[in-house]
Amino acid sequence: MSKTTEQVRKSLAKRYRAERRFKAFGVGAIGFGLLALVLLFTDIIGKGHSAFFETYVKMEVTFDQDTLDISDVRDEEQLNFANYDGVIRNALREEFPSASGRQEKRELYSLISTGAGYELRDLLKDDPSLMGKSITLWLLADDDVDVYVKSAQDDRLESRLSDNQKSWIESLEAQDRVELQWNQSLFTHGDSREPELAGIWGAVTGSFFTMLVTLILSFPIGVAAAIYLEEFAPKNKFTDFIEVNINNLAAVPSIIFGLLGLAVIIGLFGLPRSVPVVGGIVLTLMTLPTIIISSRAAIKAVPPSIREAAMGLGASKMQVVLHHVLPLALPGMLTGAIIGMAQALGETAPLLMIGMVAFIVDVPGGPLDPSTVLPVQIYLWADSPEQSFVALTSAAIMVLLSFLIAMNTLAVFLRKRLERRW
Amino acid sequence: MQTGNLLLLLVVMIAGAYYMGHRRSFALARPLGGIRHLHSLPFYYAMRTAIWCAIPALVVLGVWLAFDDTLIRNMVMGSLPAASQPVDGSAANLMLNQISNVASGALSPASVSPEIAAAAEKLNSLRQLNTMAITVVVIVVAMLGTAWGWVKISPQMRARQQVEKVLQTLFMLSATIAILTTVGILMSVLFESIRFFGKVPATDFLFGLHWSPQTALRADQVASEGAFGAIPLFVGTLLISAIALLVAVPVGLMSAIYLAEYAPARVRAFAKPALEVLAGVPTVVYGFFAALTVAPVIRQIGESIGLDVASESALAAGLVMGVMIIPFVSSLADDVITAVPQALRDASLGLGATRSETIKKVIFPAALPGIMGGILLAASRAIGETMIVVMAAGLAANLTANPLDAVTTVTVQIVTLLTGDQEFDSAKTLAAFALGLMLFITTLLLNVIALHIVKKYREQYD
Amino acid sequence: DTRDYISIVGSSTVYPFATTVAERFGRSSSNPTPKIESTGSGGGMKLFCAGVGTQHPDVTNASRRMKKSEFAQCQENGVKDITEVVIGYDGIVFANSSKGKHMDVTLRDLFLALAKEVPDPKGGEKLVANPYKTWKEVNPALPNTKIEVLGPPPTSGTRDAFNELAIEGGCKTFPWLKAIKGEDKSKYKAICRSIREDGAYVEAGENDNLIVQKLEKNPNAFGVFGFSFLDQNRGKVQGAKVGGVAPTFDSIASGDYPVSRSLYFYVKKAHVGVVPGIEGYVKEFTSEKAWGGEGYLAEKGMIPLADDLRGDMQKQARGLVSMTDAELH
Amino acid sequence: MDTAEKFDDKAPGNMKLADQIEGEQAMDETIRYPDQTVGTPYVDNPKMRMRDVEVFYGEKQAIHGVSLDIGKNEVVALIGPSGCGKSTFLRCLNRMNDTIDICQVKGNLHLEDQDLYDPKLDVVELRARVGMVFQKPNPFPKSIYDNVAYGPRIHGLANKKYDLDEIVETSLQKAGLWNEVKDRLHSPGTGLSGGQQQRLCIARTIAVSPEVVLMDEPCSALDPIATAKIEELIAELSESYTIAIVTHSMQQAARVSNRTAYFHLGRLVEMNDTDTVFTKPEHDLTEAYITGRFG
Amino acid sequence: MDTAEKFDDKAPGNMKLADQIEGEQAMDETIRYPDQTVGTPYVDNPKMRMRDVEVFYGEKQAIHGVSLDIGKNEVVALIGPSGCGKSTFLRCLNRMNDTIDICQVKGNLHLEDQDLYDPKLDVVELRARVGMVFQKPNPFPKSIYDNVAYGPRIHGLANKKYDLDEIVETSLQKAGLWNEVKDRLHSPGTGLSGGQQQRLCIARTIAVSPEVVLMDEPCSALDPIATAKIEELIAELSESYTIAIVTHSMQQAARVSNRTAYFHLGRLVEMNDTDTVFTKPEHDLTEAYITGRFG
Ligand SMILES: Nc1ncnc2c1ncn2[C@@H]1O[C@H](COP(=O)(O)OP(=O)(O)OP(=O)(O)O)[C@@H](O)[C@H]1O
Ligand SMILES: Nc1ncnc2c1ncn2[C@@H]1O[C@H](COP(=O)(O)OP(=O)(O)OP(=O)(O)O)[C@@H](O)[C@H]1O
Ligand SMILES: [Mg+2]
Ligand SMILES: [Mg+2]
Ligand SMILES: O=P([O-])([O-])[O-]
């Protein structure tokens, strides 16, 4: 046995311990990251799952022409502004005739959501022959009722509902007239102050348009800038300075980008506040450093021999870049895009400055309509007093994360296809 | 035609121009004996034609759209009788909005004066005319551009150079955007900072040990002298970022190494994107998590060993922030580690190095620039984060290095100062800008140092 | 570019009420639902006073009155005619977890527990840095728990109001401190409105929900936040009595509860008739079914004005009466 | 040594013959492969013993049932046409093939009593014992000094800086590179010329003094003088170590090796004493190859 | 061809001599460098004309005032000890040195009438006219087919897929690789053996049929048969193209080249007809090198 072998044998146990330790660190690190993810997810899902269903109460309502105050069922205007709440109140009073006095009546009326009236309106619009008839319907309950119905028996003590209200609900529950149904409005409506009516569709579309603008601008610009700086720009003190500056941009607090957007895009170019285009541009500025930095790292990692090979064949610099460097660097560039876009998707602070922290009910139809975005919606809901918003907030977070995962899946799939070792 | 439709049409025309350029270059090449006798590939002739179609048309469209509104407005305003002319610019703006709203039906014509109603009709007709004109002009320009590009094609033309020049110019413009952003940011903080330093001596700001947010917000609120010592903020930033990086760098780096060097492909395919999700969780969520889940745990542990832990602590915020920035390190590092050529691994393994030795001594140094980039990004993100800090570490500017104390960061103060109840000119609002400037300069220095380190230790492979 | 929807900015405190009104208004009229940005009172004023024209908002909400300087700024930028509307009150409560002890504090206790400098406990007209660590030290009737109060940061309107109404209110109970007001107003304010910075008062950000949830985790801590959050989280948190009065709907409305403030919105008159629906919005807001004693805003936790005040205010609002410099102080 | 002079390297007697041997494949069909390798592939008491080695790259089989021994202190040359599997076989001997995902090795391989593909085997120790010089020079992107010092450092072969300096110097000297680089030991190894890089890689491998040295065309980028230096090194090493060398220079094989193995399309056709292989090859493929023609 | 047989490549008459020539540096001090290159470095009407070329890597000078011509349809061999600057010089001829940041080239270099270092020169066109095979095989991480097709594609040498297929096939055939890879044209070029990669790179370069082909040790990883194939290719190419080849095999130089240039420590010591260089070298350094000893 040679001297080396002896020496190696001696040191081997120690080196293997180091190896195992190292690998264990790796597993531990991944485990830690994934554990954090799982914790976050369980926390969110635990809080948010209940928001996907909401409480309905079965009632018999009568479309009474007098109460509704409609003289002509074909008149849109009259149908729109008729007193549907009155119809519901009648139904409630009939159901619980014991309620007397203003206070008790108020309590009674507040069992049903203000949104229920709009349902009646839609029914009547669809079928004017309902006028004067009585039908049995599932009516959307108020959010407090919803919280009460969903909470466990001993938590019900903490409820905001009055004793009267509790007894009414319990009597309805005993008759099987209270039911949890799929929360459709969550996925079809814009924001609302009534938790049972609030939806995230407005924010989802807003986020979609904003992210679209961000992606369309930031990825090509970021990659192009990285290519220019890495491949075409002369290498000197000035480009070093630019490199440092771009790295530095990444550390600029995001709200400052909002300030910049406010001053330049809204102030100078006169674009309106609160619109996805402006949000997208601001987030682009914020995301660019991330994409540029990771793209440059990826370009740097392409071995020079590949470039030489192509150049030796008479490929122009541009061809070398587009045919060889770019395909090899794309996975890294996509990584930059993935985390940059992820960050942009979850960002609120800069949007504060450009008016996207707003209450917007109407679902935006395009990138120039006022809109809000998912993280802002989350931020706003998280700050709302009503208890139902706690679950809604978590539900919105779940939607945002699904959005994120959907967005990433495509990029990750692309990246996976492009990756190779050489 | 609507601008959107016009753009769509333009795209079709560009595709057509490309096709025509392609056809023509082949047609020119045939008698010469194949495309090898052209100066450039047909692709470049085609691209050149497409560029000639696109750029003039887009420029015309852009310029037109930039000015047509003003023009139409002026014409509508001009049509109003002298008596109802608006007095100034903002009145004109309002009147126009009124006219437009009437024109679009949002306001009923009955609710406004007859002049306005007439103007609204004029506006509608002018708008129609405008859209027609723009459509015609843009299409004509695109066609002329295409024709010019097409006619000019010749076997000697240096089409590749021209197309590449255009591309390179685009690349350069892209890089310029990053530079302009820097300039813009400097501009947007510089002037206000100068005004701030007019009110508060720079030395107080730079070396002051006391940051008291209770200065006069309003003239009538509190009259005590404001304390604008930024040191506690910078120390707080350092503390929280350091904690975050202490979590993110080892975890991220080790994750990256494990994913790139040890993990089976399936694990990697799942774990890498899974970790990337961490970067996209909204910071509000992390904030709640830090404040309501992590902080109480830290507090309990602290109390069980007899430590006095503030309910808001740098530790909770830093830990959670660390989790958030893990993917910045892990994903970027994973990419560059994967890019290290196999030959280097072979060389090391062939000498009897263990995997970890290979990673530590060969792969890591070779991948250093990319890894450093990831770490810098992570650090930047940590410095720029606010929500988590506000929710879990509070807003109190304590000068402390104890991670169990409440601290605040520069960025948090910037955000609170900018979004809180503000007065236009108070030193307090301006302080946000001064803080921004200081932060900019500090991180700039850090980056210079980082660049230096990378240059020094970089090991260029191949 | 034409704007056919109302643009509203301003206070985050008024935001939940304004949005409720806006939503109803949007549903029950042919106008689009107004867009409401939550920018904070100061931010709202800044945007509102930047000028007239569609790029500027039509209405701003505020959880405090417009300042003279802000009014001047408005005038300077051509925002001449502004209608001021007081819409109701917001109570600021001092609360803790329902699991904790119920408290009954006086303004003086609050001042002693939270001010930066307090009269020397050993007596004499001397100020010392706040030495109190537990509530019992402040007032033997109070429980022996550490003073730990989570509240909004100085940039928040709620904090202003709390300082002004609670801390200063307690401060004034010391005659010799009150006397300073006559001599040196700014010194008085510095003493009576400064909050301690040694960790007993924790600046917990502007998210009141977070404060509520933190209180649940930490039964010894108290929190300072708006009444609606107490209202909505009954069962989880309890409001301390201040000066013997519990924070309830009625006690705030009647003015018995000492820590409450008025809420406002301001309308830019130049935009009325230009941006469709402004009058309609004001009408909806000032209708009885909205801000009345049993209106839907009360449901949301806004405390209505007294009936007669409401009547006056309604007239002023619907008539779009301009405010003047002289009204402000 | 005397056989060496017989061969005119890379100059097949009749160059035009290359035309006729265009298709090896075509020829393969007509020539019968021996079921067993001809000659004497086995020795007594070998340092390394390989039996029925088969290597696959994915579906494609690169080595077909090769069996041979490498004796103690022996220099074995592996020769054969490009692409015949020499490198692949060599890489099996210290399990460098492990690093290629799609590569699968079957068969029995032993280093003394140690089964190389025993799952319990310690590859690190194996590779420290069986060192390798790769076909493509692959210096680390580190200084010349660090390149050579890398092995000794990880194995802890030098206790002091002084010892390490000495190892580096003697290794570089043995590889004939010392004079060229002694003034620039701390400039990067990647900034060397092709031949210098190759010698650097040799120096790096011998710096850890492994028991067996595998060299894959170690002189391919070297001029005659540097080649002579390396061959001298091989001779010197063979006094105490075992060496397997892949070479396309038959002269070199003749000069340095004790036994020579001739590979053809993944098969070991013949293995014999070097003299025998080059003077009276047993197999007609071998003969065709060493005389510069096929058949 | 006849001179070729005189040389026994890489086998210096007396191997022990290598010991004595350990330090080239040491020797350099005693030997006077010629102020001018001896022999006939210039020809009439050359394809490429180089004058006073100096190359620096940072501070370090790698080429000292080299002047030579390469005639039309001529094969010029560059020989010399490892590290003497052959690759460096070759890389100047199509400006590949541009890619090395620290590398600086001075002097006068012309391709026909074109100044190579004219700032207005289109390097892309230059490199299309002057192709290069690198010392270390560097296939693209693409399929074998795409590796070869890349050049023709970017230069538009094929109008149709069919033409391209043909170019790929003939190029691979000329490089003697076709038979080995024809079944796996679409598997990656990086999965080839060392010698196969080298031939792939040759095929890739000749696929664009450049006017001048620069080859940096193109046969270093090849067996004699493949080498013969490449040499034959060189002979064939030289009928219409100009070739500069770096080789460490003097036999190869003797076989394929018309003129030979001997480099020593960055200087061009002698350039002459190949026969002259190998039979009666004018300079003693040249003689020392080709006889396998120094002085
Ligand atoms: N990138 C580089 N940086 C610094 N020095 C270099 C670089 N490339 C080559 N050199 C040095 O320049 C000199 C000439 O190198 P060159 O590659 O031209 O040699 P060569 O004649 O091709 O040798 P070989 O036959 O070994 O390939 C050598 O001393 C080498 O170390
Ligand atoms: N990584 C790989 N993937 C797929 N096939 C491979 C790989 N490496 C080598 N091969 C194939 O295996 C066969 C043997 O290759 P090997 O490298 O062992 O040849 P070699 O004898 O060393 O040739 P050379 O003298 O050219 O280096 C060749 O056909 C080659 O194409
Ligand atoms: Mg090989
Ligand atoms: Mg070389
Ligand atoms: O948003 P504020 O109500 O605190 O100004």
Side-chain angles (χ1 to χ4, degrees), chain D residues 83 85-88 135 216-217 246, chain E residues 193-195 221:
Chain D
K86 306 179 295 290
S87 300
T88 304
Q135 187 168 9
D216 200 347
E217 307 198 0
V246 170
Chain E
S193 83

Side-chain angles (χ1 to χ4, degrees), chain B residues 237-247:
Chain B
T237 307
L238 203 68
L239 183 62
I240 290 192
S241 307
I243 296 171
L245 287 177
L246 277 178
V247 174

Side-chain angles (χ1 to χ4, degrees), chain B residues 377-444:
Chain B
L377 264 184
S380 303
R381 184 80 207 271
I383 291 170
E385 176 48 39
T386 54
M387 203 71 87
I388 299 175
V389 182
V390 173
M391 293 170 90
L395 289 156
N398 294 323
L399 181 57
T400 172
N402 179 0
L404 300 178
D405 270 351
V407 297
T408 188
T409 65
V410 177
T411 321
V412 167
Q413 288 303 319
I414 294 176
V415 174
T416 18
L417 295 179
L418 284 179
T419 57
D421 202 352
Q422 51 190 331
E423 200 172 28
F424 312 105
D425 240 6
S426 74
K428 179 137 199 178
T429 313
L430 294 176
F433 296 93
L435 283 177
L437 185 68
M438 275 300 298
L439 190 66
F440 193 90
I441 293 169
T442 318
T443 51
L444 195 69

